[in-house]
Amino acid sequence: MLYIHNRQSRTGPATAELASALRAAFFSDERTLEQLAAARVALADLHRQRLWLACDCASGADDTWPMIGPRDGRGGMHPFRFGHVSHGQDCPFAGAIRHPEPDASGPDENGALDGPWDLPALFPAGQDPAARREGMSRLLRTALVQLGYDRLHVSSFAPAAVHGQLRLVETPFGRLRHLGGQDVGGQRLFRDVGTTYLPAIPRLLASLPQKASPARAGVCGLFIGVTEEATVPLSEHGAGFLTGKDQRGGRRAIPVSGVITLPPGDDGRQGPYWTLALLTLGSDGRCHVGDVLLIHALDRRTLLPVPGARHRPLASLLLQQMNFWRSWKKLVIEVELAAPLFPSPYPCTPAFDLVMPNAERIGVDLGSPAHDSSAPDRPVVHVDLSLPEQLTRRLLTVAAAKAVNRPGGP
């Protein structure tokens, strides 16, 4: 049986109609176009409300269950499995998910990864450094999209700000546990060969040689999590370091033997960062932290990925404005802030999207308000943070009012 999950806990059983629509469209051998359309409508509703589905076919420690989430990918809305616990063998949702058939243009090489994260295939031995960086970036962005870190709805925050700071209702770090059930190839799950907690890396490195194939040196594990600093080695023979926080708030440093790829123009001290590290088995039979890639996060309270450190003030301003709109009597709207991590329909993908209740989107980026890169159906607001904040808030409010009243909205 499926239950609605609000990203913190189960809230109630899903309707029989929803479960039936998903089974017919994605978990059976045959389906009709009508069944596929009905399932996509149901998944779109879950996606809009930022809800997941939990299955009661199995349970794990810490009150966890097998999970199913909606994904808006190429070919349309479809479900994907994730979570710390795998579905039971007899569960109707344990079989292979039928993805929408790709169109004539072939697979989307720039979009999120679908299916297992086959580490040997994604990062083969002797891989070109540029291809490896691109693969690492795509994998990290896929994980953030799967877990919903790329968007923040205003309802995620308590209505009243404390000392001017918005307070999240949930603890966003808790979502990382759902990576545990991700298939990483070789009949292994992420929880077998990966970690999301930086101080746990040494213990994982010690256990990986027993789990990896002794005949195959290469990538055998992953770290995906949040770090505070990255130190690039001063010479090709030196070691770099990743620094993060432990459970008591202390700082822990982990040596890195591979290449550390920082965001453009960054010195490694502008954390927090979302970080992916490849754990590599060497020819000597020992595992170490290999190549590392980092992207900026807004802060440790939200973990929202941002294009760069200079975009953090803009993201904070947008969150404050969203919180104002939901109680302002002249508008009263609940808006979602999205950070596009993959190519969007815009001519030039903006740093952020404001998603209105009627699904209309407003792109927001840094730049002069006089500069207009908007398409007719894709408005973009450019923000100059050197201008008075009140002017910026007024520009955003005008754009939001136009979007919610655009024909076709509610």
Side-chain angles (χ1 to χ4, degrees), residues 113 117 122-123 135-143 222 276:
L113 292 168
W117 299 348
L122 287 171
F123 308 108
M136 293 171 65
S137 174
R138 187 181 181 194
L139 180 54
L140 177 56
R141 288 178 287 138
T142 294
L222 283 174
L276 182 145

Side-chain angles (χ1 to χ4, degrees), residues 265-287:
D266 195 82
D267 62 359
R269 294 178 174 81
Q270 309 299 318
Y273 301 97
W274 275 111
T275 305
L276 182 145
L278 303 179
L279 309 182
T280 308
L281 178 66
S283 57
D284 59 355
R286 300 174 62 183
C287 288

Side-chain angles (χ1 to χ4, degrees), residues 122-185:
L122 287 171
F123 308 108
Q127 186 178 28
D128 176 74
R132 173 158 293 202
R133 287 193 298 271
E134 178 55 35
M136 293 171 65
S137 174
R138 187 181 181 194
L139 180 54
L140 177 56
R141 288 178 287 138
T142 294
L144 298 182
V145 169
Q146 280 190 190
L147 298 177
Y149 285 114
D150 62 325
R151 52 193 181 272
L152 278 171
H153 194 270
V154 70
S155 62
S156 302
F157 295 93
V162 179
H163 302 300
Q165 294 287 328
L166 295 176
R167 180 173 59 85
L168 274 173
V169 175
E170 67 164 324
T171 301
F173 279 99
R175 267 184 255 165
L176 282 169
R177 73 180 189 276
H178 294 296
L179 278 180
Q182 173 66 45
D183 188 344
V184 294

Side-chain angles (χ1 to χ4, degrees), residues 42 90 114 118 120 124 169 173 200 220 253 259 276 283 294 296-297 329:
D90 297 330
D114 280 324
D118 189 344
V169 175
F173 279 99
C220 58
V259 176
L276 182 145
S283 57
L294 303 93
H296 288 103
K329 294 182 179 179

Side-chain angles (χ1 to χ4, degrees), residues 197 199 244-252 300:
Y197 182 48
K245 292 186 177 180
D246 60 23
Q247 293 177 335
R248 297 181 179 181
R251 297 172 74 84
R252 292 283 300 275
R300 292 180 65 86

Side-chain angles (χ1 to χ4, degrees), residues 297-353:
L298 172 58
D299 52 39
R300 292 180 65 86
R301 294 183 302 111
T302 63
L303 301 182
L304 180 77
V306 295
R310 68 191 187 98
H311 290 85
R312 285 174 176 148
L314 175 58
S316 297
L317 174 64
L318 292 175
L319 292 176
Q320 294 286 347
Q321 190 65 17
M322 288 163 50
N323 194 52
F324 170 72
W325 285 337
R326 71 167 163 177
S327 59
W328 188 41
K329 294 182 179 179
K330 293 184 179 181
L331 205 56
V332 191
I333 55 172
E334 292 199 343
V335 178
E336 181 176 75
L337 177 63
L341 295 178
F342 292 98
S344 76
Y346 289 90
C348 182
T349 303
F352 304 105
D353 280 343

